[in-house]
Amino acid sequence: MNPVLKIISALLALILAAGIGLSVALAALYIYYAPTLPEADAVRDVRLQTPLQVRSADGRLMGEFAEERRIPVPIDAIPQQVRDAFIAAEDERFYDHPGVDVMGLARAALNLVSTGGQRTQGGSTITMQLARNIFLTRDRTYERKLREIFLAIRLEQEMSKDEILELYLNKIYLGQRAYGIEAASRVYFGRSLEDLELDEIATLAALPKAPSTTNPVASPERAEIRRNYVLRRMLETGAIDEAAFETAVSRPVLSERHTAATEIDAHWVAEMARQMVVNLWGDEAYRRGLQVHTTIDSRQQEAANQALREGLLEYDERHGFRGPEMRIPEATLDDSDARERALKAIGIHGRLLFPAVVLGLDEDGTLRVDGGRIGEQTILPEDREWAGSPDFARGDVIRIRPYTDGRWRLAQKPEVTGAVIAQAPEDGAITALAGGFDFFENRYDRTTQAQRQPGSAFKPLVYALALREGYRPEGTVIDAPMVFNDPALGAEWRPQNYTRRFHGETTLREALANSRNLASIRLLDRLGTGNVHQELTRFGLDLETQPNNLSMVLGTGTLTPLQLNNAYGVFASGGRLNSPWIITRIETVDGEVLYEAPTERACPAPCSSPKGQDLPLVASSGPLQYTDPTPVLQPGVAWQMGEMLRGVITSGTGRRALELGRSDLAGKTGTTNDYRDAWFAGFNADLVATAWIGFDDNRELGRRESGGRAALPIWTRFMGSVLADEPERPLERPDDLVRVAILPNGQRAPSDDTPGARNQWLLPHQIPERGHVIPGSNGDSGSQQPELVF
């Protein structure tokens, strides 16, 4: 035989033997690993994690929490351009190979040799990536690679290409905790896949290689480089033409992290609910698809948000303009795209205050600004008059907010903060909660966490205890100067009224309506500070935060807005103390009820899931779980307090609430020393609500920023919105009250038609004997005039 032919034959035999040997080796390896590989059916059945969702009483989404954000979409709903982009970037021959691209693996092997063993180029197909992402680890070992190859081949044998691509596009991690293309589209662009432009699609397709470091939020520059690579690959594969390529690469990368699209701005409540659920189930709560239903009334919640923000902005405008937030460089200012990116990075504050850059000032005083996403706007002189005459310069960044009739108004991020809390008196359910201006700016919840001095808003609690002890609303107390040498106060104390005036003998009703400090202190002194201090638990208060001295009645202790509101709920509910609560029901994504509050609000009797009553729902801010109400005051005392507090609005410090034109409202203002806190708490038979305003660092609000000026407008705006279409609901007079004729001197009249006598609704223990006056001494002048009359 020809020597050349012998050599060729030997080489062919060697190659054949090597091929057979390699095939046998691969077959042996497959047989070895096959039992450990999952079946394709298991891949089809992979359940994508479903997030924890928190909803209002009417089912509207308030918050969504998950370790992974996923929004699965079927292959038919995925735009063709999206599929083309990922295939061009990750696996050009996806529809041609059997799961493994031999050419790609060879290219990766040559690269491995040329780089001295460094893995700088992969050979994984989309099918191999899917196999790794679902079942295998990301350990970079040869054994893992073999398992990946074998599983990819199995998947290709038992699943269609479209099935594989659908699962891959819904499973792939794309940064910012987004898994799958639909979730990533909403995270980076705030829109669904079907609404994306070509350059945005390419930005998503650029992410699988390094999602944490090349995403458009973390690094727009790297994202643009990788995006342009994807666009070139799409051009080379024929997925797009030259014109589309040139248009797409010329566009800037504009992206910001978008949160889940909630239907109600109730993030503080959603966070409370999240804490409570995670306390029960740990991180598993983020994966089980739990649906948490709350007591929040969406209409009331929106009203609370608006009332608080408007009230804080009104206060802020009264105290002047602090100047622009920052300046944009001239180079950025001249580039409209760069200008828009800069404004996007600054962000909207509280869903209301938009950043805008000053472009110029017209001769008539009109300020021209660019608001980025809201376009160019004008601010008329009257819409920035509150700021005085600041020297605006081109490039200054300010805040603007939508105003009336399509106009925009100059604004600024308020430094002051506040809270609004509302509950249903019958069971204590929290129906609205706004813990500040912007949850994402500061997550500190002032309604449940801010321990503040309530000032005169505390007085009704002491007056209620006086009525319980037998004092009458029309009983009298002396409003006159006094000096105390109280060891508990540490020094000589000379309290004053807010007005610095004294009114002599005054009724308890008048003293409360006009918030007279001296009369209130005398009342507490007669009751005994120790006795009153111990009785404050009737209102759900912590005794450790309340001073056991005469300053107590002036609200020098501390409590949260929720605690004060819940205490006022005792008056609105007929004398019952409720526990504030927020969760009515927790159920799985399949509808299995895991918890149901044992009350008709959650489950009309009989409750379907009594086992839920034993779940220890606890949030970091304290218990917020339903419990049965506890009677703590006689219904008659609660009604009398409602009538006295109605007088605060009709003739006292809360007269501004008269603008609502309702006769069923009652409440009390509160102002602390040096104007550090301003309050208004009030109610009718259907709703009890409290508004608070102050600074987190406890600095002064400013002279004359009392509860009636700073907090009452917030409360009035909230109640006016919520009760606008509701009939009046005054407190019902209970049966434990008796109508009694009382003479001006405090004696019970001989008969109901005695001249000069006035009818009063009293409890039996408040009724004096006929012709009998409870004696007392004013303690200062030595006069025999009674100080307090029952």
Side-chain angles (χ1 to χ4, degrees):
M1 180 181 293
N2 188 306
V4 175
L5 291 176
K6 286 183 178 182
I7 293 172
I8 293 174
S9 297
L11 287 174
L12 289 173
L14 182 62
I15 291 171
L16 179 61
I20 293 173
L22 180 60
S23 299
V24 171
L26 288 174
L29 286 171
Y30 182 81
I31 293 171
Y32 176 77
Y33 285 116
T36 67
L37 299 177
E39 300 294 332
D41 286 343
V43 176
R44 291 190 181 95
D45 292 338
V46 168
R47 294 191 67 179
L48 302 179
Q49 295 179 12
T50 309
L52 163 69
Q53 292 186 331
V54 181
R55 297 187 177 276
S56 65
D58 53 348
R60 298 176 68 185
L61 182 65
M62 301 193 309
E64 184 174 280
F65 306 92
E67 292 177 330
E68 304 175 359
R69 292 191 63 183
R70 295 184 184 275
I71 307 174
V73 286
I75 191 68
D76 293 341
I78 300 174
Q80 185 61 48
Q81 206 165 56
V82 174
R83 301 185 229 177
D84 292 342
F86 276 86
I87 289 173
E90 297 295 322
D91 188 359
E92 179 184 349
R93 285 177 287 278
F94 171 69
Y95 281 102
D96 300 322
H97 62 64
V100 178
D101 186 351
V102 177
M103 293 178 60
L105 286 175
R107 186 171 60 249
L110 289 174
N111 180 264
L112 185 66
V113 173
S114 66
T115 58
Q118 295 183 3
R119 298 181 177 88
T120 61
Q121 183 173 325
S124 293
T125 63
I126 282 177
T127 315
M128 291 167 66
Q129 290 182 51
L130 175 63
R132 178 173 66 246
N133 286 336
I134 292 182
F135 293 109
L136 305 175
T137 70
R138 297 191 68 86
D139 297 336
R140 304 186 75 176
T141 63
Y142 294 110
E143 180 183 7
R144 191 225 69 198
K145 197 69 175 178
L146 280 173
R147 289 165 58 84
E148 186 180 304
I149 290 171
F150 293 149
L151 180 55
I153 292 172
R154 173 177 288 183
L155 296 179
E156 290 275 355
Q157 291 173 342
E158 301 186 31
M159 296 175 69
S160 70
K161 287 287 187 179
D162 280 352
E163 282 182 300
I164 292 171
L165 184 60
E166 176 182 319
L167 201 54
Y168 169 79
L169 291 176
N170 281 302
K171 175 70 180 177
I172 191 70
Y173 177 60
L174 298 173
Q176 299 292 329
R177 295 172 62 188
Y179 288 77
I181 50 175
E182 180 66 22
S185 176
R186 299 191 187 187
V187 166
Y188 292 116
F189 303 111
R191 305 194 303 283
S192 183
L193 278 174
E194 59 191 17
D195 299 321
L196 296 186
E197 302 290 342
L198 173 60
D199 62 298
E200 295 168 327
I201 290 172
T203 300
L204 294 185
L207 290 171
K209 182 177 181 181
S212 297
T213 58
T214 62
N215 72 68
V217 171
S219 179
E221 297 80 9
R222 292 181 181 179
E224 185 172 353
I225 293 171
R226 181 68 181 166
R227 179 206 66 180
N228 291 347
Y229 164 78
V230 173
L231 290 168
R232 282 195 299 273
R233 293 291 300 127
M234 293 181 74
L235 178 63
E236 292 166 0
T237 58
I240 58 175
D241 58 24
E242 185 72 31
F245 171 79
E246 292 296 339
T247 299
V249 296
S250 67
R251 299 190 65 181
V253 172
L254 296 175
S255 177
E256 59 185 273
R257 191 178 188 279
H258 295 78
T259 56
T262 55
E263 297 173 281
I264 308 175
D265 183 0
H267 298 289
W268 278 284
V269 181
E271 175 60 18
M272 283 184 205
R274 182 198 68 80
Q275 292 175 11
M276 297 166 77
V277 173
V278 171
N279 182 67
L280 287 173
W281 289 289
D283 290 344
E284 185 65 19
Y286 298 126
R287 299 186 285 270
R288 298 182 63 182
L290 298 181
Q291 297 287 304
V292 181
H293 299 271
T294 71
T295 57
I296 294 299
D297 181 305
S298 60
R299 189 170 68 92
Q300 290 187 26
Q301 181 62 39
E302 290 170 350
N305 292 335
Q306 182 177 0
L308 179 59
R309 288 170 180 157
E310 290 291 338
L312 297 180
L313 290 172
E314 286 177 0
Y315 168 90
D316 202 57
E317 289 188 6
R318 286 199 298 270
H319 293 268
F321 186 59
R322 294 184 295 276
E325 286 188 18
M326 57 182 294
R327 286 184 62 81
I328 288 181
E330 195 67 30
T332 303
L333 195 60
D334 291 337
D335 185 334
S336 60
D337 289 333
R339 195 165 66 214
E340 183 175 354
R341 282 199 302 271
L343 291 172
K344 271 190 175 183
I346 295 171
I348 304 171
H349 185 62
R351 298 190 175 189
L352 181 65
L353 305 184
F354 292 78
V357 59
V358 173
L359 300 179
L361 185 66
D362 295 340
E363 291 184 0
D364 64 355
T366 298
L367 191 65
R368 290 181 290 104
V369 301
D370 178 14
R373 71 189 75 192
I374 59 174
E376 294 191 11
Q377 303 293 337
T378 56
I379 311 297
L380 299 177
E382 57 265 34
D383 293 330
R384 61 185 183 88
E385 183 179 8
W386 65 269
S389 303
D391 294 326
F392 289 115
R394 177 177 164 84
D396 284 345
V397 175
I398 59 174
R399 295 278 174 172
I400 61 175
R401 63 184 176 109
Y403 200 47
T404 58
D405 303 325
R407 288 156 47 192
W408 289 81
R409 184 176 180 85
L410 176 67
Q412 62 187 351
K413 291 170 64 173
E415 294 180 343
V416 72
T417 189
V420 171
I421 178 74
Q423 292 173 265
E426 69 268 19
D427 61 2
I430 296 174
T431 54
L433 186 155
F437 194 93
D438 186 343
F439 175 82
F440 296 102
E441 179 87 2
N442 188 334
R443 300 191 176 194
Y444 179 58
D445 179 11
R446 287 91 183 167
T447 62
T448 62
Q449 295 174 297
Q451 289 282 343
R452 308 293 297 212
Q453 290 186 338
S456 293
F458 189 86
K459 289 175 182 173
L461 310 189
V462 175
Y463 279 67
L465 294 174
L467 298 180
R468 180 174 175 271
E469 290 300 311
Y471 292 91
R472 296 183 291 107
E474 304 303 330
T476 58
V477 62
I478 301 299
D479 183 61
M482 63 186 79
V483 178
F484 288 96
N485 289 305
D486 188 343
L489 297 172
E492 186 179 85
W493 184 40
R494 296 175 180 269
Q496 298 285 333
N497 284 331
Y498 178 79
T499 61
R500 305 289 179 176
R501 298 170 58 194
F502 314 108
H503 300 82
E505 186 178 79
T506 183
T507 66
L508 269 65
R509 186 186 302 277
E510 292 170 342
L512 184 62
N514 294 287
S515 203
R516 290 173 183 161
N517 293 340
L518 299 174
S520 300
I521 293 169
R522 287 180 185 273
L523 177 61
L524 175 58
D525 192 31
R526 293 295 298 249
L527 293 171
T529 56
N531 295 332
V532 170
H533 188 262
Q534 290 300 313
E535 292 295 309
L536 292 178
T537 56
R538 291 179 178 274
F539 300 99
L541 300 187
D542 181 0
L543 298 186
E544 293 185 0
T545 65
Q546 304 304 319
N548 190 2
N549 59 50
L550 291 173
S551 72
M552 178 200 329
V553 73
L554 303 185
T556 57
T558 61
L559 43 67
T560 66
L562 177 57
Q563 288 174 321
L564 182 66
N565 197 65
N566 202 58
Y568 273 59
V570 172
F571 307 140
S573 66
R576 297 176 304 163
L577 176 65
N578 288 296
S579 294
W581 60 291
I582 60 169
I583 293 183
T584 57
R585 188 173 73 259
I586 304 172
E587 57 190 18
T588 67
V589 69
D590 299 320
E592 178 189 359
V593 177
L594 302 178
Y595 168 80
E596 207 163 39
T599 171
E600 289 189 9
R601 183 181 294 271
C603 51
C607 287
S608 62
S609 182
K611 67 180 180 180
Q613 297 176 27
D614 298 326
L615 283 179
L617 296 179
V618 177
S620 64
S621 56
L624 288 169
Q625 185 174 3
Y626 174 82
T627 59
D628 291 331
T630 303
V632 294
L633 290 178
Q634 301 99 315
V637 168
W639 182 85
Q640 288 174 334
M641 283 305 305
E643 288 296 291
M644 291 172 69
L645 291 171
R646 200 159 63 89
V648 173
I649 290 177
T650 58
S651 61
T653 58
R655 284 188 294 271
R656 178 163 180 166
L658 290 173
E659 66 187 44
L660 296 180
R662 300 180 68 98
S663 63
D664 61 338
L665 300 178
K668 182 70 182 75
T669 53
T671 310
T672 61
N673 283 342
D674 301 320
Y675 301 96
R676 298 181 189 276
D677 298 89
W679 300 77
F680 192 87
F683 54 88
N684 72 354
D686 289 331
L687 189 65
V688 54
T690 293
W692 166 80
I693 181 172
F695 286 99
D696 283 338
D697 60 7
N698 204 36
R699 63 184 137 126
E700 297 177 17
L701 288 167
R703 183 162 178 78
R704 301 188 66 186
E705 292 292 354
S706 62
R709 189 184 193 203
L712 180 54
I714 297 173
W715 187 89
T716 302
R717 185 178 282 114
F718 169 70
M719 294 294 276
S721 175
V722 170
L723 301 178
D725 300 320
E726 301 295 328
E728 292 198 355
R729 283 274 288 134
L731 303 184
E732 285 189 27
R733 189 175 61 247
D735 295 335
D736 59 346
L737 292 170
V738 180
R739 190 171 69 175
V740 181
I742 303 294
L743 294 171
N745 64 2
Q747 295 179 352
R748 182 175 181 180
S751 64
D752 291 346
D753 57 358
T754 299
R758 292 181 58 187
N759 288 323
Q760 300 176 20
W761 289 98
L762 303 177
L763 290 161
H765 70 285
Q766 295 172 331
I767 302 173
E769 297 179 10
R770 280 187 170 86
H772 177 67
V773 180
I774 300 298
S777 170
N778 64 18
D780 293 319
S781 65
S783 167
Q784 296 304 306
Q785 183 180 16
E787 181 183 10
L788 291 164
V789 181
F790 285 68

